[in-house]
Amino acid sequence: MQDHVDHETRHASGDALRTHRHGPAYAALVLEGSYVEASADGPVECTPGTLVLHPRYHAHGNRFGHLGARVVNLALPESGEPATLQVLRVPGRSDAEAVFLRGPHELLALIEASSSEQVVLLHAWQAGFLHELQHGDAPIEQIARHAGVSCEHASRTFLRTHGMAPQALRRELRSRQALALLAGGASLADIAARSGFADQSHLTRTVRAMTGQPPGRLRRQINCVQDAATAAMR
């Protein structure tokens, strides 16, 4: 997991970044070139003027186009952290780049001025497959059979569209659900059961591997972020 966000990154034609995870929530603005970002949210086509808002601990990989890409990144203030991935289109690239240079105090206004973009285009069978991955316990082979595809085809397809094979994707989806539930008052045992984990110990091991912290400590951090966001809106 990467705990920092570089201000600017440049990537050559055909470069690829394997699935990785950033600890902080951050915004990425595409200035030149293009790439596809693959995550549990599905594939996102990123072109000049695309603004991607990543929540904390978001795992994704990137495949860069024939022109490579130049991207500027900026950590999001706590009051602007998204709960889920958001893909926006900025009103003007040069003005947006200037905001990134000046810092996060102007970033929230830029987000307000940006428009939402349609992001996910999947094969028809993938929606049901994803639902079963997250909410059921059936083996991958059985889910693939019900979807009318082979395990090999499902694995190749999800690796390309989501950056993960089905079993890893199942773990990521359940971990995300657990992180969302940590913001509430449910016990860790209840969160484990509702998120599809075998028990609280399984939840703890998975969340620690994902974030570097046990769920109890992470819950306190999430509540602090929520308190800061609430105070900012008053």
Side-chain angles (χ1 to χ4, degrees):
M1 182 175 66
Q2 300 182 27
D3 293 322
H4 67 282
V5 177
D6 294 323
H7 175 67
E8 180 175 316
T9 55
R10 293 176 181 264
H11 304 273
S13 171
D15 275 357
L17 294 177
R18 298 180 63 179
T19 299
H20 58 285
R21 195 186 306 276
H22 291 272
Y26 75 101
L29 173 66
V30 185
L31 297 176
E32 299 172 6
S34 66
Y35 62 93
V36 174
E37 180 167 297
S39 73
D41 301 284
V44 176
E45 183 73 34
C46 299
T47 58
T50 300
L51 177 62
V52 186
L53 308 182
H54 301 87
R56 289 187 180 199
Y57 309 114
H58 189 265
H60 55 270
N62 308 87
R63 300 191 309 273
F64 297 90
H66 70 282
L67 296 177
R70 182 165 73 95
V71 184
V72 286
N73 308 284
L74 191 62
L76 283 162
E78 288 184 347
S79 58
E81 291 186 10
T84 59
L85 186 76
Q86 294 183 29
V87 183
L88 307 172
R89 172 66 51 179
V90 298
R93 259 184 288 160
S94 59
D95 289 341
E97 182 179 10
V99 168
F100 272 67
L101 291 172
R102 289 193 292 264
H105 61 286
E106 296 186 24
L107 185 53
L108 296 184
L110 174 63
I111 292 170
E112 274 297 312
S114 301
S115 56
S116 297
E117 285 206 322
Q118 179 69 32
V119 296
V120 179
L121 294 174
L122 300 176
H123 298 287
W125 59 268
Q126 285 184 278
F129 201 113
L130 286 167
H131 185 271
E132 287 300 313
L133 277 181
Q134 181 168 1
H135 301 290
D137 293 314
I140 302 301
E141 295 82 357
Q142 181 178 325
I143 299 174
R145 187 165 59 251
H146 287 169
V149 297
S150 68
C151 284
E152 293 77 11
H153 180 71
S155 184
R156 287 194 303 270
T157 301
F158 279 110
L159 277 170
R160 182 159 188 83
T161 60
H162 292 69
M164 303 171 221
Q167 193 60 47
L169 186 54
R170 167 178 269 170
R171 186 166 54 249
E172 183 72 16
L173 290 169
R174 290 181 174 181
S175 297
R176 284 189 181 191
Q177 184 176 2
L179 289 181
L181 290 171
L182 282 174
S187 69
L188 294 182
D190 186 39
I191 290 173
R194 291 166 63 184
S195 303
F197 290 96
D199 51 35
Q200 183 176 330
S201 295
H202 187 200
L203 167 69
T204 297
R205 290 194 304 272
T206 304
V207 170
R208 188 190 291 271
M210 179 183 186
T211 69
Q213 302 180 73
R217 184 185 303 168
L218 195 60
R219 165 175 270 168
R220 290 191 292 272
Q221 288 188 7
I222 290 171
N223 288 337
C224 285
V225 170
Q226 288 183 334
D227 291 344
T230 301
M233 290 188 293
R234 289 174 181 165

